[in-house]
Structure formats: structure tokens, C-alpha cells
């Protein structure tokens, strides 16, 4: 196991700096408990970088990211930069970062243990035991297809996937399914889109020829959205493209209770990138009220990716135990009454890191 690891932090905009700081505090506590040597470097990114250097992904930031062992991003974007277009936007910087790193596989887990099912937007009985991994293709599809045109009278975006792009993300989904319940639901719009027909054909062939032990089903994305709400426990791994994965992962957050709870890992490239699923929530910025769990669990996914399984487990258990003990940020409490601040949540969670038993549990 590597003795020292270097983390690039990209706090970004809105609540990004608050949740990134929360994740850093948790990592520092985990480092003490598990004798890990972690070093941190903060880089400019997103709207903050636009304000200081004029563009969202400065070359120094990209090169620091390429040289790190892991990258932890907060969130980017906000009304201040909404007048900018395309690549000049904070969002353009995020797409350039993902693509520059080559992180094509975005893993977005959503799990609802029975003990936390009451936090869900849906009735607890409907969601408890839900355990879904959304495997979203991250550097292709309509987010990157050319041509992309915006004129006064018309606009064009292009959805495109090559066989090779579909093959590699399908292999990632199948590999994860093997470690789980062995079931993949591939989500597309093959009744309408040519790209989706190629997607379905290719995913089916890879599963059949290379992963015969995996059961693969297919759903159209409109039905998949409904099924996620009607019967979320039917899903194990959801395999889908960039746009559908973006939408379905936000939708899935309602199963757990809040978008602020969901983490993600972006893998398969030069350096793994970890980012909460949520955005910069500008209306909450600077209020010490954002839910830091998505960012903290993203840091946990980074530890897992490094093979630090005990440390990763301590993060997951500390989150679960803190929530179970009734420490909730405002997004988890209707009307916000009785909620606690981001910083109070983190302080409480850190007490769980130092006491949690990861070996025997
Ligand atoms: P958002 O995810 O910022 O917010 C959606 C809703 O969820 C809001 O009601 C917000 O208050 C709530 N929310 C989100 N995260 C939360 C948290 N941690 N704790 C409590 N509540 C939370 O999405 P949006 O409002 O559509 O977008 C705002 C900005 O963020 C836009 O500029 C968008 O482009 C950007 N964005 C960035 C990312 C990213 O950086 N990865 C992701 C999505 C959106
Ligand atoms: C996400 C976000 C991004 C995406 C935006 C900000 C580019 O919504 O990470 O889910 O669409 O991928
Ligand atoms: Mn999104």
C-alpha cells in the first residue's frame, strides 16, 4: 500500500468550498486513525477561476490534477456566470476536466438502509433496502458530440456514441455487477434514437459474450424514471449514457432523501476524480447549512479506490451512525426545524470516525 497520497482539492463555487472543507476535515481525522499520510493542494476551478484568471480550468489546475493520487471536487457554477456560453462557463470547465483526465466511468451509488429510510421522500416501506449503483458514461454522448451550434434562430447538439465507448462502459458496469447482485438494467431510448439502438446492441453483446453470469435487462429511460419511484428495489446496477445518467441520478436522490447525500467517483482515466452529485446550490452558499454527506462519502469512495477499505468503511459507518443518531442538516428536515449546521454535523461525524469499529462490524 502506498505510504503517502496527494489530494488536489477543487472547492469551486457556491456551497462547494463548505462541503469540500467538510470532506477534508473528515479525511484528516481518518488519516490519524488509520495512519495514512495525506497531503492536500487547493486549486482554482470553476467560477472562482473565471473571476481570478478568466477561465474555468486553468492549465496549472489540470496539470496538478493529472499529477495527484486523487481529486476531490466540491461544486461549480452559479447565476454570476450564467451569461457565459459553452466552454467559458464553470460547467464547461468541469466537462474539460473530466475529458482531460479521461474519466469515462461515473459511479453514483444510492443506498437506503432500513435505519435511514425515514429520510426518504417516499414511504420508508417502499425504499428500505434500496441499493443501486448508477454507472453513467461521462465523457461522451450529447455532452461532447459535434457539431454543437447556437445561433439566434436555431441550435444543434449532437448525441453520438461509438461501439468502443459503449463497450468499455458496459465492461465497467458488468464488473461492478459481479461484485453485487449480478443484475444490470441498461437504460436507453432505443425506440426513438439510433444512438440508443447501437447502445442496446453493444451492451447486450458484451454482457452475453464476456459476462455470461450477468443478467442484463433493458428499459427505456422514460419508464426507468417511473420504475425508480414505483419500485426502486428492482434495480441493482443501472448502466446508461451521459445525459440519462445525469437525470436519473438526481431523481434517485429522492429515494435516499436529499441530493446532498449522494457521492460519486469518476474513474478510468489518469487520476480518479470524486465529486458529490449535487451542484453549487447558490441559495445556500456561505450559510453553513449545506449537507456535506455527498462530499464526505465521495472522499470515502476515494479511500476505497486506493484500497484503503477499512478507512473507507469508517467513513461510511460514521455517516450512517451520525444520521441515525438524528443529526440532520436542513435539507433532511421538513421546514428545517431542529436541523443542525454543516459544521456541527461534521464535528459530530468526526467523533464517530474516532470511535467506530471497522474490523469487527
Ligand atoms: P443544485 O444541485 O445546486 O441544487 C438543486 C437543489 O438541491 C436545490 O434546492 C439545492 O438547495 C439542493 N441542494 C443541492 N445540494 C445540496 C446540499 N449539499 N445540501 C442541501 N441542499 C442541497 O442544482 P441547480 O440548482 O440546478 O444548479 C445550481 C448550479 O450548480 C448551476 O450553476 C449548475 O450548473 C451547477 N451544478 C454543478 C454541479 C457540479 O458542480 N457537479 C452539479 C449540478 C449542478
Ligand atoms: C453533474 C452536473 C454536471 C453534469 C454539470 C454541472 C456539467 O449536473 O455532475 O451531475 O451534467 O454532468
Ligand atoms: Mn447533474
Amino acid at each position: 500500500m502506498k505510504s503517502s497520497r496527494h489530494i488536489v482539492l477543487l472547492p469551486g463555487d457556491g456551497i462547494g468550498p463548505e462541503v469540500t472543507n467538510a470532506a477534508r476535515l473528515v479525511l484528516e481525522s481518518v488519516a490519524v486513525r488509520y495512519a495514512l499520510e495525506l497531503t492536500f493542494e487547493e486549486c482554482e476551478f470553476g467560477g472562482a477561476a473565471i473571476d481570478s484568471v478568466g477561465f474555468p480550468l486553468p492549465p496549472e489546475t489540470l496539470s496538478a490534477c493529472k499529477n495527484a493520487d486523487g481529486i476531490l471536487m466540491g461544486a461549480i457554477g452559479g447565476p454570476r456566470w450564467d451569461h457565459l456560453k459553452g466552454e467559458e462557463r464553470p460547467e464547461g470547465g468541469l466537462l474539460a476536466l473530466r475529458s482531460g483526465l479521461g474519466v469515462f466511468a461515473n459511479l453514483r451509488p444510492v443506498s437506503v438502509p432500513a435505519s435511514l429510510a425515514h429520510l426518504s421522500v417516499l414511504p420508508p416501506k417502499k425504499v428500505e433496502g434500496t441499493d443501486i449503483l448508477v454507472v453513467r458514461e461521462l465523457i461522451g454522448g450529447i455532452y461532447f458530440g459535434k457539431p454543437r451550434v447556437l445561433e439566434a434562430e436555431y441550435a444543434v447538439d449532437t448525441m453520438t456514441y461509438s461501439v468502443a465507448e459503449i463497450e468499455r462502459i458496459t465492461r465497467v458496469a458488468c464488473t461492478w455487477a459481479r461484485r453485487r447482485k449480478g443484475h444490470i438494467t441498461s437504460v436507453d431510448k432505443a425506440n426513438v434514437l439510433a444512438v440508443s439502438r447501437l447502445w442496446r446492441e453493444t451492451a447486450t453483446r458484451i454482457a452475453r459474450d464476456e459476462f455470461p453470469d450477468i443478467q442484463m435487462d433493458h428499459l427505456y429511460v422514460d419508464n426507468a424514471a417511473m420504475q425508480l419511484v414505483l419500485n426502486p428495489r428492482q434495480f441493482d446496477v443501472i448502466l446508461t449514457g451521459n445525459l440519462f445518467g445525469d437525470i436519473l441520478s438526481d431523481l434517485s436522490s429522492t429515494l435516499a432523501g436529499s441530493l446532498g447525500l449522494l457521492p460519486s467517483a469518476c474513474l478510468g482515466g489518469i487520476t480518479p476524480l470524486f465529486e458529490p452529485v449535487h451542484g453549487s446550490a447558490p441559495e445556500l452558499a456561505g450559510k453553513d447549512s449545506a449537507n456535506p454527506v455527498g462530499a464526505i462519502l465521495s472522499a470515502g469512495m476515494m479511500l476505497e479506490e486506493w484500497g484503503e477499505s477499512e478507512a473507507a468503511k469508517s467513513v461510511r459507518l460514521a455517516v450512517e451512525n451520525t444520521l441515525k443518531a438524528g443529526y440532520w442538516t436542513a435539507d433532511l428536515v421538513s421546514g428545517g426545524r431542529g436541523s443542525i449546521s454543516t459544521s456541527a454535523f461534521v464535528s459530530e461525524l468526526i467523533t464517530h470516525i474516532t470511535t467506530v469499529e471497522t474490523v469487527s462490524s
Side-chain angles (χ1 to χ4, degrees):
M1 206 113 341
K2 204 168 162 183
S3 61
S4 165
R5 289 201 171 83
H6 188 61
I7 300 165
V8 164
L9 298 172
L10 303 175
D13 311 315
I15 60 170
E18 297 163 61
V19 299
T20 309
N21 184 52
R24 178 186 181 150
L25 292 172
V26 172
L27 279 172
E28 284 171 344
S29 159
V30 168
V32 171
R33 166 94 201 257
Y34 293 90
L36 308 176
E37 201 186 309
L38 304 180
T39 55
F40 296 89
E41 173 184 7
E42 211 171 288
C43 293
E44 281 185 319
F45 185 52
I50 295 173
D51 289 349
S52 70
V53 296
F55 34 92
L57 177 60
E60 311 78 58
T61 295
L62 181 58
S63 83
C65 287
K66 285 183 176 170
N67 290 316
D69 294 299
I71 307 156
L72 201 55
M73 196 206 56
I76 46 81
R80 183 177 162 78
W81 305 282
D82 274 344
H83 63 284
L84 299 170
K85 48 183 192 315
E87 289 156 21
E88 296 164 15
R89 297 175 62 93
E91 292 84 350
L94 178 55
L95 298 188
L97 176 67
R98 291 169 176 169
S99 150
L101 294 168
V103 286
F104 67 92
N106 186 204
L107 310 183
R108 297 187 157 186
V110 185
S111 64
V112 190
S115 60
L116 297 178
H118 56 285
L119 295 177
S120 177
V121 171
L122 295 175
K125 283 276 164 254
K126 197 160 218 163
V127 294
E128 62 182 33
T130 293
D131 183 10
I132 301 172
L133 179 66
V134 177
V135 177
R136 169 194 182 196
E137 200 291 327
L138 199 60
I139 58 173
I142 197 166
Y143 276 51
F144 291 90
K146 296 274 177 358
R148 178 190 299 274
V149 178
L150 177 56
E151 297 291 345
E153 298 300 322
Y154 76 105
V156 179
D157 288 288
T158 304
M159 184 185 274
T160 164
Y161 269 119
S162 66
V163 166
E165 285 176 303
I166 305 166
E167 286 178 344
R168 68 179 180 177
I169 193 69
T170 303
R171 289 190 183 106
V172 170
C174 288
T175 304
W176 278 95
R178 261 189 186 154
R179 297 182 207 160
R180 297 168 52 96
K181 296 186 202 113
H183 178 211
I184 296 182
T185 309
S186 176
V187 173
D188 60 37
K189 187 73 185 171
N191 50 346
V192 176
L193 302 176
V195 166
S196 284
R197 283 201 282 278
L198 186 69
W199 180 281
R200 192 175 282 218
E201 204 179 288
T202 307
T204 303
R205 172 173 53 75
I206 294 293
R208 186 195 57 218
D209 295 353
E210 299 179 21
F211 299 85
D213 49 318
I214 299 299
Q215 182 202 334
M216 181 179 282
D217 305 329
H218 304 269
L219 283 181
Y220 300 133
V221 62
D222 44 357
N223 186 19
M226 181 178 69
Q227 294 297 333
L228 270 168
V229 176
L230 278 183
N231 178 14
R233 280 188 295 255
Q234 71 184 283
F235 295 103
D236 176 18
V237 172
I238 292 179
L239 163 65
T240 193
N242 209 339
L243 180 62
F244 300 157
D246 178 45
I247 297 166
L248 293 181
S249 55
D250 267 36
L251 174 64
S252 317
S253 75
T254 62
L255 306 172
S258 166
L259 188 50
L261 292 170
L262 296 197
S264 90
C266 314
L267 307 178
I270 297 170
T271 311
L273 163 69
F274 301 85
E275 32 172 282
V277 171
H278 65 75
S280 59
E283 71 285 3
L284 302 181
K287 294 195 174 144
D288 194 23
S289 69
N291 190 334
V293 167
I296 292 168
L297 290 176
S298 298
M301 292 181 85
M302 178 163 69
L303 295 167
E304 194 71 72
E305 177 65 16
W306 289 337
E308 302 288 355
S309 295
E310 288 302 312
K313 192 169 172 189
S314 79
V315 173
R316 290 194 302 270
L317 284 176
V319 166
E320 193 176 326
N321 291 339
T322 307
L323 291 171
K324 234 193 277 181
Y327 293 91
W328 301 333
T329 45
D331 53 316
L332 295 172
V333 184
S334 92
R337 279 184 306 280
S339 63
I340 60 164
S341 66
T342 311
S343 46
F345 182 89
V346 173
S347 304
E348 177 62 25
L349 189 142
I350 284 173
T351 67
H352 289 268
I353 292 280
T354 49
T355 54
V356 80
E357 280 302 326
T358 46
V359 181
S360 56
S361 55

